[in-house]
Amino acid sequence: MSSEKYDLIVFGATSFVGNILCQYLSSEYGINDKVRWAAAGRSEGKLEELRNSLGAEAEQLTLLVADAADESSLQALCEQTRVIISTVGPYALYGEPLIKVCAATGTDYCDLTGEVHWVRRMISRHEDKARETGARIVHCCGFDSIPSDMGVWHLQQAAQAQFGAPCETIRMRVKAMRGAASGGTIASMLNITKEAASSPELRKELANPYSICPSDHGFSARQHNVTSPELDPESQQWAAPFIMAGINTRIVHRSNALSGKAYGENFRYDESMLMGRGTKGRLRATGFVMGLGAFLVGAALKPSRWLMENYMLPKPGEGPSPKAQEAGFYDIRFYGETANGERINTKVTGLVR
Ligand SMILES: NC(=O)c1ccc[n+]([C@@H]2O[C@H](COP(=O)([O-])OP(=O)(O)OC[C@H]3O[C@@H](n4cnc5c(N)ncnc54)[C@H](OP(=O)(O)O)[C@@H]3O)[C@@H](O)[C@H]2O)c1
């Protein structure tokens, strides 16, 4: 057993996702039983509400008050735990002080961000310190980007075993999916769209598929990017852009770079969503692209963003109902091809919570 008081602290325990995570930890591991954990957040009152919602057995759950902007309160969290999970987002607005303190104190950390520009900033500002202290900082541990990262890794293992070589190309296709975004996810998407609207440098960075690879990555393969409806050769269905592709593809290329280019120097990877066959599929894909375009334009302009934030989209703290969460799922397919033309596919399924 380690010398720290806790194995795990959930920071942002009162968030929509933090609530779900605490319910899960409490029902799977109990309180201070198999896993010693505590719940942290900025509001003592909200933390108490959360503890009450977990039932009588959660009476022993320790509550810790800390503010995302107050490094000394974050330091106090880090000194008591081996790992911190943060659900305090948008991370680009609130996340950096905790990364800085975890890197300095050697505390392991993970989060659910999908904000690729923020991940790049954290790597360039805090990676050296984290290497020095041994802190493991792991971003993007949610739906973006675990299924993509692990799906590609799994397919590459299978390709190596079967053909003695990795796939040079992998196409990820979302075959089916049901789920809705939480308020925090919407706030993060609106924030990145707002930042990008006023910064040509950020738009250029967001378009770079290798933006979070180490600077000496040396990759130059041109990456396909599904931005408009196109016919998918494997399934013969119409494909539309997948909203998470902007972060997932970057994580996959970073994994390739960090694993000594295990997927190869010329590895190509793209993601899209299957919308069906024939005219119906084409119309659905076109409708989706138009809807996505309208959302992005709306989010980039101040008056429409205000309307969206205040009247149309879930607000921070809100999210799908427990019933909708229970019904959530995803079914994604990976189609791989080696440089010699051998083909291999895999399927990844799971529940969206
Ligand atoms: N990758 C995925 O699959 C996935 C899925 C869902 C969400 N997410 C991401 O996870 C994050 C959380 O989402 P969510 O919907 O759960 O968000 P949310 O309900 O809006 O919660 C945000 C949390 O941040 C806390 N917070 C804000 N400012 C703070 C400060 N100064 N100090 C301490 N805490 C502060 C809030 O505290 P209060 O409760 O006191 O207001 C709240 O607990 C978002 O960035 C979202 O994009 C990712």
Side-chain angles (χ1 to χ4, degrees):
M1 209 171 241
S2 69
S3 57
E4 288 87 2
K5 204 163 165 192
Y6 302 108
D7 296 309
L8 182 65
I9 289 178
V10 178
F11 182 48
T14 56
S15 67
F16 182 78
V17 176
N19 263 278
I20 298 171
L21 177 56
C22 290
Q23 279 165 27
Y24 172 79
L25 286 170
S26 160
S27 63
E28 278 304 298
Y29 301 103
I31 310 285
N32 294 329
D33 187 4
K34 283 177 257 174
V35 176
R36 299 163 301 154
W37 65 283
R42 63 176 164 176
S43 153
E44 193 166 6
K46 280 183 89 172
L47 284 168
E48 276 165 8
E49 261 175 50
L50 163 76
R51 182 166 61 188
N52 294 339
S53 75
L54 297 176
E57 58 281 16
E59 254 173 31
Q60 302 303 317
L61 177 65
T62 305
L63 306 178
L64 302 165
V65 175
D67 193 286
D70 173 7
E71 285 184 23
S72 61
S73 69
L74 300 175
Q75 172 104 16
L77 296 185
C78 287
E79 281 164 0
Q80 301 182 67
T81 187
R82 291 169 52 215
V83 183
I84 291 206
I85 298 183
S86 174
T87 70
V88 175
Y91 294 88
L93 297 181
Y94 311 124
E96 180 164 7
L98 182 57
I99 299 289
K100 184 179 169 201
V101 174
C102 284
T105 54
T107 309
D108 292 340
Y109 162 101
C110 68
D111 67 32
L112 288 169
T113 185
E115 296 149 87
V116 66
H117 66 313
W118 180 73
V119 172
R120 206 230 6 106
R121 274 181 219 156
M122 295 308 97
I123 293 169
S124 55
R125 292 181 191 161
H126 304 293
E127 184 178 24
D128 290 348
K129 191 72 189 171
R131 282 184 184 277
E132 206 182 297
T133 62
R136 286 168 294 187
I137 309 288
V138 188
H139 298 292
C140 305
C141 299
F143 181 51
D144 35 341
S145 300
I146 288 186
S148 297
D149 200 22
M150 297 313 295
V152 169
W153 181 83
H154 175 76
L155 190 62
Q156 294 292 31
Q157 300 293 307
Q160 276 289 359
Q162 218 165 306
F163 312 125
C167 296
E168 195 177 55
T169 309
I170 296 181
R171 284 183 276 270
M172 184 280 241
R173 300 292 175 253
V174 180
K175 182 163 186 277
M177 172 174 129
R178 187 184 299 145
S182 68
T185 301
I186 296 291
S188 302
M189 286 163 69
L190 291 175
N191 183 58
I192 196 169
T193 313
K194 183 174 114 187
E195 279 194 45
S198 61
S199 166
E201 296 85 54
L202 178 56
R203 290 200 293 277
K204 195 170 162 210
E205 184 190 318
L206 292 174
N208 175 4
Y210 306 119
S211 67
I212 55 173
C213 290
S215 53
D216 60 352
H217 61 78
F219 295 133
S220 58
R222 219 180 152 77
Q223 299 293 330
H224 181 55
N225 195 10
V226 179
T227 53
S228 54
E230 61 178 55
L231 196 60
D232 177 54
E234 266 83 16
S235 62
Q236 285 299 306
Q237 290 196 41
W238 284 90
F242 179 46
I243 194 126
M244 307 293 187
I247 177 68
N248 292 341
T249 53
R250 278 55 175 166
I251 289 286
V252 167
H253 289 302
R254 179 168 168 80
S255 291
N256 186 24
L258 296 184
S259 59
K261 302 188 178 170
Y263 309 162
E265 186 88 34
N266 293 314
F267 177 64
R268 289 189 301 274
Y269 179 70
D270 66 75
E271 297 191 341
S272 64
M273 252 174 16
L274 298 178
M275 308 300 280
R277 292 170 193 256
T279 310
K280 212 168 152 191
R282 186 177 200 165
L283 285 174
R284 279 186 69 201
T286 307
F288 183 85
V289 170
M290 288 166 72
L292 186 60
F295 174 86
L296 293 175
V297 171
L301 303 172
K302 211 170 168 187
S304 46
R305 187 168 61 243
W306 183 86
L307 267 178
M308 288 161 83
E309 274 170 340
N310 289 287
Y311 294 103
M312 295 162 76
L313 297 169
K315 296 187 179 49
E318 296 175 356
S321 67
K323 199 171 160 208
Q325 289 170 42
E326 285 299 320
F329 72 93
Y330 59 83
D331 174 347
I332 61 182
R333 309 294 169 103
F334 296 81
Y335 301 99
E337 189 171 342
T338 67
N340 290 334
E342 294 120 334
R343 288 171 179 247
I344 185 166
N345 305 333
T346 196
K347 163 177 163 178
V348 175
T349 59
L351 302 174
V352 180
R353 285 286 160 86

